[in-house]
Amino acid sequence: MSAEVLEHPAVTSGEDRGKEVAPRCAFVIFGVTGDLASRKLLPALYALHRRGYLHPETTIVGYGRSDWNDETLREHARESLEADPGEFDRATWEELAPRLVYVRGGYGEAEGMQRLKRLLGESQQENRVFYTATPPSTYPRLIESLSEAGLQQSDEGWTRLVIEKPFGHDLQSAVALNDLAIRHFDESQLFRIDHYLAKETAQNLAVLRFANTVFEPLWSNRYIDHVQITMTEDLGVDGRGSFYEQSGVIRDVFQNHLLQLLSLVAMEPPANFDATSVRNEKVKVFHAMTCPAPADTVLGQYVAANGMPGYREEEGVDPDSKQATYAAVRFEIRNWRWSGVPFFVRSGKRLERKATEIVLRFRNPPHIPFSLPAQPRPDRLTLRLTPDEGIDLRFNTKVPGQEIALERANMEFTYARRFERPNPDAYETLLLDTMTGDATLFMRADEVEAQWRVVAPVLEEQDRLTEQPCPYPAGSFGPPEADRLLAGSGRHWHRPGDG
Ligand code: BG6
């Protein structure tokens, strides 16, 4: 499709200045020495600075337990940024580097918090973002100690707390964490992160549906047969074996990323695209979802193949582990729009390729007036989040000639071909939104809890397993048992990444 989209300098030029410069603030990263800070947070803040979104007097405060100082932090940050040589620019870095400062302290340690408080006072930073890039077990104590130090609000500015996923381990712990956070902060100060919401195609779903007329009238059980949401990963647990043993695929990506994508597909049009309106609509979807029955769930675990180790051989993993590294689940939404349309959602580690996509398969036309050897294939709309972000519409077309013969044609939009500048990393968008106070792409307390409620039966199913979940070879398409979910319906799994 030669995408004829609205011409606007913000989308066609190299620099995206669609948003305002963030207000001056201190951006405090708890756990700055960790992996998330070096892979995502520091590069995102640098990219925001490079593109002119970071206020020139904003400071980045790294907080950690290691015996570092400002110089060690700057050195560490520079090394992290140099990992992406295409983005790294020495002069830009040298402008930013002096604004990075380090505070040493434990998570929940009063003296560390006092040091932080002094620093914020001395640098007259009244606006504050606190980011929990620490292990989830530290969140409760971190919240309490911020509050004990009087850092849960500031006299003359705003204070926001960004809480990384996983938000709780199950419904009960998520409720407890919400209760604790709300005891010390106001809900409007809380930014629960799910980076999938900030991926361009996830944001584009709302634009596709609500800024066009052609899609939304088809967006219901009248015309859609079923929806598939697939997130496959080629990597295994990537050095995070002991974390994954506690988490598994349902907690790691279903409760959050995949249910969030599902809600964006299924929600009703909000009156405004703001945090309250959008989150009100998303949470209604979760409330309308039925909990999947055991027959609606297939769990799997990868085993050694193609020169790759099995999950049980990974470091930090129990050699008898029953943890699921793959799941395929059939969800239903019981409301006027979606009743009768199954949502098949699947994800797994160590599959054949990394791909994330949402496929809407349309119903067949009620009557085909042509005499054809077989029923034509149903139309299909694919929203690709990875790789090659974009949107495809597959439909039937006539083959030129004297007879009526059909073939598939594709209308395709890809960001890379349509827009000059690369898509911002999701964290860039989210950190900017945190500083500007826009919570639209963050999860509200009731949303997180509703998501845990939806996956609770699948977690119970996982806990009931007495043997290894369906084994699948590393590097494959997952366990063949997943086909059972679609069997007999004339439906089949779409192969991710295939056109
Ligand atoms: C994280 C999960 O939230 O998302 C990881 O914990 C997963 O297990 C990752 O690999 C995938 O994110 P992305 O942006 O690379 O698709």
Side-chain angles (χ1 to χ4, degrees):
M1 173 162 51
S2 88
E4 221 19 85
V5 294
L6 199 65
E7 290 294 337
H8 185 285
V11 293
T12 51
S13 74
E15 292 298 299
D16 174 4
R17 297 303 307 274
K19 282 189 184 167
E20 296 301 310
V21 174
R24 174 179 194 242
C25 65
F27 198 103
V28 181
I29 305 175
F30 290 109
V32 76
T33 56
D35 186 52
L36 180 69
S38 57
R39 269 190 319 109
K40 293 292 182 186
L41 306 182
L42 293 167
L45 288 165
Y46 165 82
L48 289 173
H49 166 63
R50 191 171 175 194
R51 298 191 218 298
Y53 286 118
L54 211 59
H55 190 283
E57 287 167 26
T58 283
T59 43
I60 299 171
V61 182
Y63 185 107
R65 285 174 300 193
S66 307
D67 193 11
W68 284 14
N69 56 31
D70 297 350
E71 274 319 310
T72 340
L73 172 63
R74 290 171 193 160
E75 183 70 8
H76 169 80
R78 189 179 47 74
E79 281 168 14
S80 311
L81 300 176
E82 279 174 348
D84 183 358
E87 261 289 292
F88 186 73
D89 171 70
R90 181 160 296 278
T92 313
W93 162 246
E94 279 166 8
E95 280 162 20
L96 186 65
R99 288 154 53 191
L100 267 68
V101 286
Y102 186 73
V103 174
R104 190 164 72 81
Y107 311 122
E109 181 215 298
E111 299 81 59
M113 287 294 166
Q114 287 306 328
R115 279 194 286 276
L116 175 62
K117 189 174 182 181
R118 258 197 315 279
L119 177 95
L120 296 175
E122 281 161 14
S123 53
Q124 296 177 332
Q125 294 290 15
E126 287 293 327
N127 296 329
R128 293 141 188 196
V129 176
F130 296 116
Y131 197 113
T132 63
T134 52
S137 58
T138 64
Y139 297 171
R141 194 51 211 128
L142 200 48
I143 292 171
E144 284 168 347
S145 59
L146 276 168
S147 176
E148 285 158 10
L151 283 169
Q152 81 285 18
Q153 59 188 45
S154 63
D155 297 337
E156 286 167 44
W158 46 257
T159 299
R160 298 181 186 132
L161 176 66
V162 186
I163 307 183
E164 252 300 334
K165 76 174 265 277
F167 195 93
H169 188 70
D170 53 16
L171 176 59
Q172 209 187 356
S173 53
V175 170
L177 186 54
N178 272 331
D179 287 351
L180 177 78
I182 290 164
R183 224 175 302 137
H184 297 283
F185 291 82
D186 186 77
E187 175 65 29
S188 62
Q189 296 177 279
L190 298 172
F191 287 65
R192 299 173 191 79
I193 229 165
D194 185 325
H195 77 281
Y196 264 60
L197 282 176
K199 293 196 180 242
E200 280 299 326
T201 300
Q203 296 187 66
N204 205 5
L205 243 167
V207 174
L208 181 87
R209 293 184 57 195
F210 309 135
N212 296 297
T213 36
V214 296
F215 299 104
E216 196 55 21
L218 305 179
W219 214 264
S220 75
N221 48 12
R222 279 191 79 175
Y223 299 106
I224 293 177
D225 176 78
H226 74 275
V227 178
Q228 292 186 19
I229 302 179
T230 301
M231 173 189 178
T232 58
E233 297 192 86
D234 51 347
L235 293 179
V237 287
D238 204 19
R240 297 193 305 160
S242 48
F243 159 80
Y244 207 83
E245 277 287 87
Q246 303 304 314
S247 139
V249 66
I250 300 294
R251 290 187 172 90
D252 191 32
V253 299
F254 268 69
Q255 184 272 340
N256 33 66
H257 305 330
L258 295 170
L259 284 186
Q260 281 294 327
L261 292 181
L262 182 149
S263 70
L264 293 175
V265 174
M267 72 179 186
E268 293 301 315
N272 299 299
F273 208 75
D274 58 42
T276 304
S277 315
V278 171
R279 298 190 296 182
N280 283 349
E281 294 308 332
K282 286 196 296 169
V283 83
K284 282 188 216 160
V285 173
F286 300 128
H287 288 316
M289 287 177 77
T290 56
C291 293
D296 294 330
T297 305
V298 173
L299 299 171
Q301 188 186 82
Y302 62 86
V303 295
N306 300 309
M308 290 175 275
Y311 176 65
R312 291 175 169 191
E313 284 97 63
E314 301 275 12
E315 202 190 320
V317 172
D318 177 353
D320 295 320
S321 175
K322 299 177 197 77
Q323 189 54 276
T325 60
Y326 174 99
V329 184
R330 178 186 198 276
F331 291 105
E332 273 180 37
I333 304 171
R334 298 240 170 111
N335 64 16
W336 193 273
R337 189 192 281 259
W338 294 114
S339 178
V341 179
F343 282 67
F344 297 103
V345 183
R346 66 188 161 151
S347 179
K349 295 274 185 200
R350 273 276 187 254
L351 294 170
E352 193 254 354
R353 62 180 74 156
K354 178 161 174 71
T356 304
E357 59 185 34
I358 300 168
V359 173
L360 290 94
R361 217 206 70 182
F362 290 91
R363 290 183 182 284
N364 283 319
H367 169 69
I368 307 275
F370 314 110
S371 97
L372 299 169
Q375 180 84 340
R377 286 172 54 197
D379 302 333
R380 197 180 73 206
L381 182 69
T382 305
L383 297 115
R384 269 192 323 277
L385 286 86
T386 328
D388 206 12
E389 277 195 78
I391 302 172
D392 286 357
L393 179 65
R394 295 254 154 177
F395 59 102
N396 295 305
T397 189
K398 181 182 172 302
V399 179
Q402 306 313 328
E403 289 162 12
I404 300 269
L406 306 191
E407 260 186 30
R408 301 290 274 170
N410 192 21
M411 291 206 281
E412 189 185 42
F413 150 67
T414 58
Y415 284 86
R417 279 198 284 279
R418 178 60 186 84
F419 299 109
E420 272 170 38
R421 69 155 290 189
N423 290 350
D425 184 79
Y427 275 91
E428 226 176 292
T429 305
L430 292 172
L431 300 197
L432 180 59
D433 285 357
T434 314
M435 289 183 275
T436 56
D438 182 352
T440 312
L441 303 182
F442 294 80
M443 293 178 292
R444 205 167 56 189
D446 54 345
E447 239 182 304
V448 175
E449 292 175 15
Q451 288 171 222
W452 277 117
R453 219 168 271 126
V454 170
V455 297
V458 188
L459 291 173
E460 281 164 23
E461 171 84 358
Q462 154 82 52
D463 293 344
R464 272 198 301 271
L465 289 176
T466 50
E467 47 193 47
Q468 187 180 34
C470 306
Y472 62 94
S476 71
F477 282 98
E481 288 84 348
D483 294 346
R484 161 168 79 68
L485 294 187
L486 290 84
S489 59
R491 300 169 178 138
H492 59 86
W493 287 112
H494 181 244
R495 235 172 131 138
D498 282 358

